[in-house]
Amino acid sequence: MKKVLVIGGGGREHAIVDALGRSPQVEKIYCAPGNAGIALQAECIPIKDTDVEALLEFAQSNSIDLTVVGPEAALAAGVVDAFRSSGLKIFGHTAAAARIETSKEFAKQVMERCGVPTASYRSFSDYQDALAYVSSRPFPAVLKYDGLAAGKGVVIANNLVEADAALKDMLVGESFGKGRVVVEDYLEGPEFSFMAFVDGTRVYPMPLAQDHKRVYDGDKGPNTGGMGAYTGLPFIGADDRSFALDNILRKVAENMVSIGAPLSGVLYGGLMKTADGVKVIEFNARFGDPETEVVLPLLDSDIYEIFEAVAEGRPCGEPIWSSDVTMGVVLATKGYPGHYEKGFPIEMPDSVPTGSFAFHMGTALRNEGLVTAGGRVLMCVARASSLAEARTCAYTLVDNVRCPALFCRRDIARQGLEAEREI
Ligand code: AMP
Ligand code: GLY
């Protein structure tokens, strides 16, 4: 029987802990730092996800069999490199391989080398040069800060005034630090997330999901970390999916091996179905959040087996996925993604509708009571045989959570439901 350490403390890690809890091989799960919901399914330990030394110390002194990394910050901090040099088993990419996410420019170079379709781009560190280039291109312009910015480093500028303000902020101001900006062409079409477990050139795809990045209904307002997600996307055909698997995910995996930075963890393709075919918007080097909360409940295989095989660099069987669909709604604190307060009491329902589940994203326990502890607080997920059924069930759960400080989008899965009606 195995002891597992999960690094991270959001909804994604709750979904990972939940999936590990279904493994017959797993005896004990620790989560660093975890949250109040995770604490019901694992033992939470107060270690920060980027405190590599303390994580290593914990894994060694507690004879952890396998560590699973959730957040990109931990990968970028070199947690995988440190664990591997100490002979510990860990699921996640080295810092060198994680550059597919941590550097937009690196990702663009990989795509260029292997002919992966993406928006054309130029990269700048000088504000004047960037502004001159943007002025010479059609609007809207897409400006991406080259570094980790928690999903908030992308600005779609509709005119030169907006572009100028964003470039100043990213290249001259203090808020982002010294970096580069990738300026790329604006693409249009439905977006979807395609994640796969990747070990070198071995790629095991997961079901497709769609995130909802904007804060308000109708895709209005600023970008967030994600306000909801669902699987079973009727507007992405089998041909688009196999194109993306063979010509995007596999190509990138092969290229990373050839440059000596093999992937070993999750590769997340943020893709768009444009009039010209499927193109890449971004890559992440980890499970997506909130996509993981809707994808992992559909895994019928033993996730420990997959994590361990990837961590050991050996093949595993093709994972088995349920044909059900899932959909999940994020409850966020009013004010998010801007300023918000913490510590609002949450009253959870005594029982939840069959097939539904609340993943905790940012919660804590205070004086025995559950309180908010983040911008995104809970994700109410439901599973059913149809999207419409899953939607009703997820919103029933949402409506039974009592916390006036929280809000959510009411139109999660709209694009999928509309496409379903048209088929
Ligand atoms: P990213 O952090 O790169 O995923 O970008 C955040 C969001 O900005 C994406 O989910 C898209 O909605 C939007 N976006 C990024 N790049 C482009 C692009 N080239 N064209 C249109 N929208 C984009
Ligand atoms: N859902 C987008 C992300 O995980 O970055």
Side-chain angles (χ1 to χ4, degrees):
M1 292 295 279
K2 309 291 186 184
K3 286 199 222 172
V4 187
L5 167 64
V6 176
I7 299 176
R12 165 182 52 211
E13 288 75 23
H14 195 177
I16 293 171
V17 164
D18 184 58
L20 280 165
R22 293 196 294 274
S23 166
Q25 303 182 59
V26 173
E27 168 187 48
K28 171 94 188 167
I29 308 171
Y30 297 93
C31 190
N35 63 37
I38 292 174
L40 302 172
Q41 293 175 273
E43 183 176 333
C44 293
I45 46 168
I47 303 177
K48 207 167 170 276
D49 58 13
T50 49
D51 189 346
V52 175
E53 236 170 78
L55 291 166
L56 189 59
E57 214 301 288
F58 179 86
Q60 280 168 330
S61 49
N62 289 277
S63 315
I64 297 295
D65 294 290
L66 174 71
T67 299
V68 178
V69 188
E72 63 277 20
L75 299 173
V79 70
V80 172
D81 309 69
F83 271 56
R84 289 208 186 138
S85 341
S86 301
L88 293 185
K89 227 183 288 171
I90 186 161
F91 175 87
H93 308 289
T94 59
R99 275 183 303 162
I100 194 73
E101 167 166 7
T102 55
S103 166
K104 302 260 184 209
E105 190 166 17
F106 175 83
K108 284 288 194 188
Q109 287 163 352
V110 170
M111 287 188 261
E112 212 159 54
R113 276 199 302 272
C114 44
V116 165
T118 186
S120 52
Y121 81 105
R122 292 266 307 270
S123 146
F124 300 91
S125 55
D126 181 76
Y127 156 74
Q128 288 296 349
D129 292 349
L131 193 65
Y133 176 72
V134 171
S135 316
S136 73
R137 306 286 304 171
F139 283 98
V142 182
L143 313 172
K144 298 186 175 184
Y145 179 73
D146 195 13
L148 287 177
K152 289 158 207 147
V154 176
V155 171
I156 314 269
N158 291 303
N159 51 51
L160 197 55
V161 174
E162 286 177 22
D164 183 40
L167 288 173
K168 266 206 190 102
D169 205 24
M170 290 175 179
L171 291 173
V172 185
E174 304 284 301
S175 51
F176 282 89
K178 289 273 158 283
R180 294 178 73 79
V181 168
V182 168
V183 179
E184 66 176 39
D185 290 348
Y186 181 76
L187 302 176
E188 271 177 292
E191 285 183 62
F192 62 103
S193 310
F194 195 0
M195 300 190 284
F197 298 101
V198 181
D199 164 30
T201 57
R202 286 187 279 267
V203 177
Y204 307 100
M206 303 186 209
L208 304 178
Q210 190 181 51
D211 188 5
H212 295 65
K213 292 228 163 96
R214 304 294 199 95
V215 70
Y216 302 126
D217 284 21
D219 291 328
K220 302 272 179 357
N223 266 332
T224 67
M227 294 298 293
Y230 62 104
T231 62
L233 313 182
F235 48 87
I236 305 298
D239 47 344
D240 289 324
R241 185 177 188 274
S242 48
F243 175 86
L245 178 58
D246 295 338
N247 296 294
I248 298 177
L249 300 185
R250 288 195 203 284
K251 285 267 166 28
V252 168
E254 283 159 17
N255 196 263
M256 294 294 283
V257 169
S258 74
I259 63 166
L263 294 172
S264 166
V266 171
L267 176 62
Y268 165 121
L271 311 179
M272 189 182 270
K273 182 180 158 87
T274 73
D276 267 353
V278 176
K279 296 192 180 182
V280 175
I281 295 287
E282 64 159 351
F283 285 115
N284 291 324
R286 48 161 176 92
F287 282 109
D289 194 353
E291 290 92 333
T292 304
E293 292 92 310
V294 290
V295 167
L296 287 189
L298 297 175
L299 180 62
D300 285 337
S301 305
D302 177 353
I303 201 166
Y304 183 86
E305 184 55 39
I306 302 170
F307 284 152
E308 190 187 63
V310 171
E312 289 178 350
R314 62 173 166 81
C316 66
E318 199 59 46
I320 297 163
W321 300 94
S322 161
S323 59
D324 282 354
V325 294
T326 42
M327 108 109 194
V329 182
V330 170
L331 284 162
T333 312
K334 287 176 186 162
Y336 175 80
H339 175 77
Y340 57 84
E341 304 288 331
K342 296 181 187 176
F344 298 105
I346 311 167
E347 218 182 297
M348 296 298 285
D350 293 333
S351 65
V352 300
T354 312
S356 70
F357 194 79
F359 288 115
H360 290 229
M361 304 182 93
T363 60
L365 273 183
R366 210 175 55 191
N367 307 327
E368 302 299 302
L370 188 65
V371 296
T372 67
R376 292 186 299 169
V377 174
L378 289 166
M379 182 158 175
C380 297
V381 173
R383 167 185 182 152
S385 56
S386 78
L387 210 43
E389 238 179 290
R391 183 186 184 285
T392 306
C393 185
Y395 277 111
T396 303
L397 178 53
V398 165
D399 293 335
N400 283 317
V401 172
R402 273 182 295 275
C403 178
L406 300 180
F407 75 100
C408 68
R409 276 182 64 161
R410 286 276 155 190
D411 65 345
I412 303 302
R414 186 184 46 84
Q415 203 165 40
L417 288 160
E418 278 174 6
E420 222 169 42
R421 268 179 235 123
E422 280 162 21
I423 288 170

